[in-house]
Amino acid sequence: MEVQAHGASHQAAAEQWAQRLGLPLHIDAAEFALQVTDIGLQLQQLSDDAPGPVRVDFVEGGAAHRRLFGGGAGQMIAKAVGVQPGVRPAVLDATAGLGKDGFVLASLGCQMSLIERQPIIAALLEDGLQRAAADPDVAVIVQRMRLLQGNSIELIAQWQDVPPQVIYLDPMFPHRDKSALVKKEMRLFRPLVGDDLDAPALLAAALALASHRVVVKRPRKAPCIEGAKPSHTLEGKSSRYDIYAKKALKG
């Protein structure tokens, strides 16, 4: 992994990211590059058959389309975390990734805390949040999103604030369906992140902290996380939400 500046104007920022992340500005035969560009920080695989770069964009593209046309509070994720008339729970997304689910919930009015333990992915998310904060249409949404970088199990165990009403988990598990590997983000992230083999411990920690419920997103046919059994499930075409209820969410 190396850090690249696309143009001399980004050299200083590239050096800052390299220092923060402990990465070189150039390395022979690097497999990945974290690139500082005019349109934001992006991660690029450097092999000949590599997919295009991945970056966090809350202003345009898929995030904008889902914000405007995604179904609002009728979306399954909204129902899973307990969004209802007069109720917008405070949610801790303990497996934030690129922040897509966190942004959806923030756009519906939820106060979001997001934890990402992989430093490169956390850097992409931090950069995306900073750029979104400068956009008048999106700034009010990302103001509801607080990013924490570190190990979720440790941060949950050390939690000092008011406990989140809902903790949301979307762990990365081994994928047997080869079509899942086609996704550009998955091809990039799996070598960096690996599988979340500590998911049972994360679920246990989440259940100890959340005041009202824990929600786990899973592939539709995948087994539940080892440990406590969900109270009920919401199932869609390709994924489902296992809901571990502790007490009812009320307005």
Side-chain angles (χ1 to χ4, degrees):
M1 174 75 74
E2 66 181 21
V3 181
Q4 298 177 349
H6 279 205
S9 62
H10 299 301
Q11 186 63 36
E15 292 173 359
Q16 290 173 355
W17 279 115
Q19 184 174 12
R20 275 186 59 180
L21 297 169
L23 295 173
L25 288 168
H26 176 72
I27 185 172
D28 291 335
E31 295 183 18
F32 296 90
L34 189 65
Q35 301 170 333
V36 184
T37 76
D38 290 338
I39 54 176
L41 196 66
Q42 62 187 33
L43 181 64
Q44 175 66 65
Q45 193 173 358
L46 299 178
S47 61
D48 292 338
D49 63 342
V54 168
R55 62 180 167 273
V56 173
D57 188 349
F58 294 125
V59 179
E60 298 179 351
H65 186 273
R66 190 169 179 185
R67 173 170 58 89
L68 297 171
F69 309 110
Q75 296 175 79
M76 195 159 60
I77 187 174
K79 295 177 181 178
V81 304
V83 170
Q84 53 191 292
V87 177
R88 294 297 186 271
V91 180
L92 168 61
D93 182 347
T95 53
L98 294 177
K100 292 181 179 180
D101 288 339
F103 181 76
V104 168
L105 294 173
S107 71
L108 297 175
C110 296
Q111 291 292 330
M112 299 296 302
S113 298
L114 302 101
I115 301 176
E116 175 50 49
R117 65 178 172 183
Q118 213 295 330
I120 304 298
I121 298 175
L124 295 173
L125 183 49
E126 177 184 329
D127 177 73
L129 289 169
Q130 289 177 347
R131 285 184 285 106
D135 181 273
D137 293 328
V138 180
V140 66
I141 297 173
V142 297
Q143 285 172 0
R144 302 187 191 109
M145 300 171 69
R146 175 180 65 141
L147 175 61
L148 305 170
Q149 200 268 308
N151 181 287
S152 291
I153 296 173
E154 295 174 0
L155 292 176
I156 287 173
Q158 301 163 4
W159 197 263
Q160 298 294 320
D161 296 338
V162 175
Q165 293 172 288
V166 179
I167 297 182
Y168 176 77
L169 308 176
D170 182 9
M172 188 173 286
F173 282 84
H175 283 271
R176 296 178 177 85
D177 179 2
K178 293 181 180 179
S179 66
L181 297 176
V182 173
K183 282 191 174 182
K184 175 171 63 174
E185 293 158 7
M186 193 62 69
R187 285 185 61 185
L188 282 170
F189 288 179
R190 192 161 289 282
L192 292 175
V193 178
D195 298 319
D196 288 330
L197 301 179
D198 56 357
L202 178 56
L203 174 60
L207 286 167
L209 178 63
S211 62
H212 287 69
R213 70 173 63 174
V214 174
V215 177
V216 181
K217 184 179 181 181
R218 302 288 287 122
R220 185 171 66 88
K221 295 183 179 180
C224 297
I225 294 179
E226 182 182 341
K229 300 304 179 186
S231 311
H232 61 286
T233 294
L234 295 178
E235 189 170 303
K237 291 181 180 179
S238 61
S239 61
R240 72 169 196 270
Y241 295 90
D242 292 340
I243 299 165
Y244 302 77
K246 296 181 71 172
K247 64 181 179 179
L249 287 158
K250 299 178 181 179

